[in-house]
Amino acid sequence: MSTEPWWRRAVVYQVYPRSFADSDGDGIGDIRGILQRLDHIAALGVDAVWLSPVYVSPQVDNGYDISDYQAIDPTFGTLADLDELIEAMHARGLRLVMDLVVNHTSDQHPWFQESRDPASPRRDWYIWRPGRPDPDDPGATLPPNNWSSVFLGSAWELDPVSGEYYLHSFTPQQPDLNWAEPAVRQAVYAMMRWWLDRGVDGFRMDVINLISKPEGLPDAEQGNQLEMVVNDPGLHRYLAEMRREVFDAYPDRTFLTVGEMLAVTPEQAVLATDPARRELDMVFQFEHMDVDHGALGKYDPQPLDLRALKASLARWQEMLAGQGWNSLYLNNHDQPRVVSRWGDDVRYWRESATLLGGVLHLHQGTPFVYQGEEIGMTNYPFARPEDYRDVEAARAYEIATMMGLPEELILGSMARMSRDNARTPMQWDGDAEAGFTTGRSWLPVHQNHLWLNVAAQQDDPHSVLSFYKRLIALRKAEDVITTGSFRLLEPDHERLWAFVRESGDQRLLVVANVSGDPLRLPAGDPFAALDGGRLLIGNYPDGAGDAPGGAEGGAGAEPGVLRPWELRAVYV
Ligand code: TEU
């Protein structure tokens, strides 16, 4: 008999430590702050926490630039604090998944410092290449190839110490490790085992599909290194090796491994998550998050085309069914807040926040809830360039300005898409600084914390928070959500998001009105059965489905009509 791994019925909560809770008043969140707020996490009913990086780091990219993998940054606390966190979480039945950032290190990591010397045995731990001759200037060189960094600009930096260039997929302060060098892989695996020995329960692997670079580092057709790197077959060899060398050393424990993969296709994701291939448990893909990117990419945001969003998620549901496993997310520390992005955070804030969460959680896969999502936190009204803290925003601003784009346009798209939107402090209560810190927060607290906060939603049965708790509980209680098949309905409808989940004789119909106007459902099967069916969950108070025995399909609503931003999941 095969036993099902715990993460198949799990919901994971992401903590971005810098912005979650500050215990010492320095304005930056820390591990003791998380300890003080564990009750909130446990009360959600989630199974695990993914903790964004807390390792020693110069913090150029808020901890995604690590200079010591086996120590905690003093900003966040000590190793003893982390051990305490592991223990306290385990005591509550919560697992801890750490962030693993091994495509690159910080340029301050001793490995890189040594590597800068061409004679060092660590020279090959990073990717060094001589420049190409510059036809216009005989005394100068050009970067070794035309790859651009994910954060824009060239992916190469000339190091004056040796006169050669090194590759950095992100900022110049984040040099890429050379995974082709066996000693690098062994050092990473040893570090991972060290963390597993401390009790951590798995890893979220940062941009893991960038680790294997193509032989010879050829130019990219469009200059974007991602097209050359993300499908390199070497990735699967490294992931399988990591599985053997790290996770197989603990036959009695079941870990969670989730690999963040830029520009990944469902075909690649199946290869990476098919249990028989023994690589990863699931991946974070980006296709559904990119549907509103315009021709110029992320900072060229377009209005949501619902058809594209639901088709993308449906495609992943179908392609991975029975073969791989999906992660499900709409928010994380790199994405603007979804209620502002695709919902209506003014007129239908509560309804649209719950609709988006509800639709996502009723898909198949493992849902991830990002801190603040469970209370419907919104984007921050950023206005001036100096309001931003994120290094990616700074680079985007600089390059857009160089391109001569109008200031107003640049600032408008940054306000909508910047990662800082996700990073404003968690809103615990209506006090100054939202209960996040007794000092002054590193990034401003949103003014709406006066009413949008955990304390205000705690005891309100109709709050976003209460809705998320019910959603999370459903995943444990209802088999059809975990294992049922998925079929998208009305794919061409511009406002209706509808699908059916089926398992045995259970048939769950999910309908959602992604608009501020009433929506009359199509006639016929299965929609006709909606009003007579047993409501499992809905986001309007009069059809909440939490009455004993289940309420009727939607009291208060006109039959066959969904109200603005209304979601209903009904057994039909
Ligand atoms: O992110 C990978 C990444 O490239 C995107 O999430 C990125 O923020 C966006 O697509 C660019 O517009 C991971 C981490 O989650 C992120 O915080 C780090 O900055 C990045 O890797 C580098 O480590």
Side-chain angles (χ1 to χ4, degrees):
M1 198 191 94
S2 75
T3 49
E4 187 187 62
W6 60 267
W7 43 259
R8 291 209 173 203
R9 274 163 213 273
V11 176
V12 184
Y13 186 76
Q14 184 193 350
V15 169
Y16 192 67
R18 215 179 171 73
S19 308
F20 190 64
D22 174 23
S23 71
D24 60 6
D26 68 354
I28 301 177
D30 47 44
I31 295 170
R32 301 219 70 81
I34 304 172
L35 276 162
Q36 290 166 4
R37 296 291 187 177
L38 266 192
D39 283 345
H40 171 74
I41 299 175
L44 288 171
V46 298
D47 305 84
V49 168
W50 152 28
L51 179 60
S52 278
V54 289
Y55 317 97
V56 176
S57 160
Q59 305 288 333
V60 170
D61 190 14
N62 289 359
Y64 284 91
D65 50 319
I66 299 169
S67 52
D68 185 346
Y69 287 110
Q70 290 170 224
I72 302 295
D73 197 286
T75 313
F76 297 124
T78 64
L79 204 49
D81 293 333
L82 194 89
D83 286 339
E84 199 177 319
L85 183 66
I86 295 172
E87 202 179 321
M89 286 184 53
H90 287 173
R92 284 167 213 254
L94 290 166
R95 291 176 154 99
L96 179 61
V97 172
M98 297 287 276
D99 218 303
L100 181 79
V101 189
V102 290
N103 172 68
H104 44 269
T105 66
S106 160
D107 64 345
Q108 300 307 306
H109 197 296
W111 296 344
F112 185 72
Q113 292 298 325
E114 283 176 45
S115 174
R116 294 177 71 182
D117 173 1
S120 151
R122 290 232 162 91
R123 183 63 170 179
D124 286 340
W125 281 43
Y126 294 82
I127 301 170
W128 293 98
R129 293 287 183 280
R132 290 191 282 200
D134 183 347
D136 299 330
D137 181 355
T141 58
L142 293 172
N145 71 20
N146 70 351
W147 293 3
S148 59
S149 126
V150 178
F151 287 167
L152 312 175
S154 171
W156 295 94
E157 184 79 4
L158 181 61
D159 185 36
V161 178
S162 64
E164 289 197 335
Y165 289 79
Y166 64 87
L167 181 71
H168 59 87
S169 297
F170 296 88
T171 69
Q173 292 81 31
Q174 292 163 297
D176 282 39
L177 281 165
N178 178 20
W179 274 68
E181 167 61 48
V184 166
R185 306 205 297 274
Q186 289 308 322
V188 169
Y189 302 154
M191 174 271 283
M192 292 171 76
R193 288 188 300 260
W194 185 85
W195 281 106
L196 296 179
D197 289 341
R198 291 202 101 79
V200 314
D201 301 289
F203 295 102
R204 173 270 185 187
M205 304 176 184
D206 193 61
V207 292
I208 201 68
N209 67 333
L210 266 55
I211 58 177
S212 181
K213 318 292 196 248
E215 195 65 44
L217 310 182
D219 272 343
E221 224 166 276
Q222 313 286 329
N224 179 356
Q225 68 142 316
L226 291 183
E227 20 162 329
M228 301 309 297
V229 173
V230 295
N231 287 316
D232 195 70
L235 170 70
H236 299 288
R237 276 202 311 279
Y238 296 149
L239 291 177
E241 180 184 77
M242 177 193 282
R243 177 75 168 244
R244 287 193 306 273
E245 302 258 337
V246 179
F247 302 106
D248 286 359
Y250 307 83
D252 300 335
R253 293 165 66 185
T254 307
F255 302 109
L256 166 63
T257 59
V258 46
E260 186 197 30
M261 295 201 178
L262 301 185
V264 65
T265 61
E267 290 81 4
Q268 272 267 336
V270 167
L271 290 180
T273 66
D274 175 355
R277 292 172 47 91
R278 314 201 71 253
E279 295 185 14
L280 298 176
D281 298 327
M282 58 191 90
V283 307
F284 285 138
Q285 54 98 4
F286 284 77
E287 189 184 282
H288 68 299
M289 298 312 288
D290 294 352
V291 295
D292 62 358
H293 293 185
L296 297 177
K298 157 177 177 173
Y299 287 106
D300 179 20
Q302 304 297 315
L304 176 66
D305 179 350
L306 179 68
R307 292 167 304 184
L309 176 61
K310 60 191 187 181
S312 169
L313 281 172
R315 193 161 91 93
W316 281 77
Q317 293 282 295
E318 284 154 20
M319 299 277 298
L320 270 61
Q323 295 198 70
W325 191 258
N326 274 295
S327 73
L328 303 170
Y329 76 94
L330 289 172
N331 287 282
N332 62 37
H333 65 292
D334 294 333
Q335 299 290 340
R337 295 284 182 179
V338 76
V339 63
S340 304
R341 183 180 188 175
W342 294 336
D344 177 346
D345 65 5
V346 180
R347 279 187 65 201
Y348 293 104
W349 162 74
R350 196 191 61 80
E351 291 79 3
S352 61
T354 49
L355 176 143
L356 289 162
V359 167
L360 185 78
H361 280 240
L362 293 166
H363 280 70
Q364 194 190 21
T366 300
F368 286 71
V369 178
Y370 177 64
Q371 67 184 44
E373 175 183 346
E374 77 277 28
I375 54 169
M377 277 179 62
T378 65
N379 280 354
Y380 183 87
F382 289 105
R384 301 160 310 167
E386 59 269 28
D387 292 341
Y388 297 88
R389 292 289 168 276
D390 182 20
V391 63
E392 187 208 50
R395 283 173 71 97
Y397 179 74
E398 193 188 321
I399 285 165
T401 311
M402 257 162 43
M403 286 166 62
L405 298 178
E407 172 94 356
E408 213 182 85
L409 192 76
I410 305 174
L411 290 178
S413 44
M414 278 174 64
R416 278 172 65 182
M417 299 307 281
S418 163
R419 308 196 297 183
D420 281 328
N421 281 304
R423 301 174 180 185
T424 61
M426 178 72 184
Q427 294 171 196
W428 295 104
D429 58 38
D431 291 354
E433 305 295 280
F436 163 69
T437 178
T438 54
R440 210 175 145 63
S441 166
W442 70 280
L443 194 63
V445 168
H446 199 301
Q447 192 54 27
N448 66 14
H449 79 276
L450 293 172
W451 58 269
L452 197 175
N453 61 61
V454 173
Q457 296 188 26
Q458 201 79 61
D459 301 319
D460 172 1
H462 304 308
S463 65
V464 179
L465 179 57
S466 297
F467 182 84
Y468 264 83
K469 287 182 182 166
R470 298 213 322 269
L471 264 187
I472 293 164
L474 279 185
R475 181 155 292 269
K476 315 261 169 276
E478 306 289 314
D479 226 41
V480 69
I481 299 177
T482 306
T483 60
S485 64
F486 178 96
R487 184 161 54 92
L488 185 68
L489 304 173
E490 303 292 322
D492 298 326
H493 203 297
E494 290 173 22
R495 297 194 288 138
L496 174 63
W497 198 341
F499 51 87
V500 171
R501 304 291 314 274
E502 260 178 286
S503 166
D505 56 5
Q506 283 188 309
R507 186 159 88 133
L508 184 68
L509 171 64
V510 179
V511 289
N513 173 9
V514 186
S515 84
D517 299 311
L519 186 156
R520 182 166 296 280
L521 289 167
D525 182 66
F527 301 105
L530 185 80
D531 291 299
R534 181 170 72 85
L535 184 69
L536 178 65
I537 191 165
N539 68 343
Y540 267 65
D542 57 4
D546 46 6
E552 284 279 297
E558 190 190 329
V561 175
L562 292 177
R563 291 164 286 187
W565 294 97
E566 181 171 11
L567 161 87
R568 275 188 253 162
V570 178
Y571 279 115
V572 294

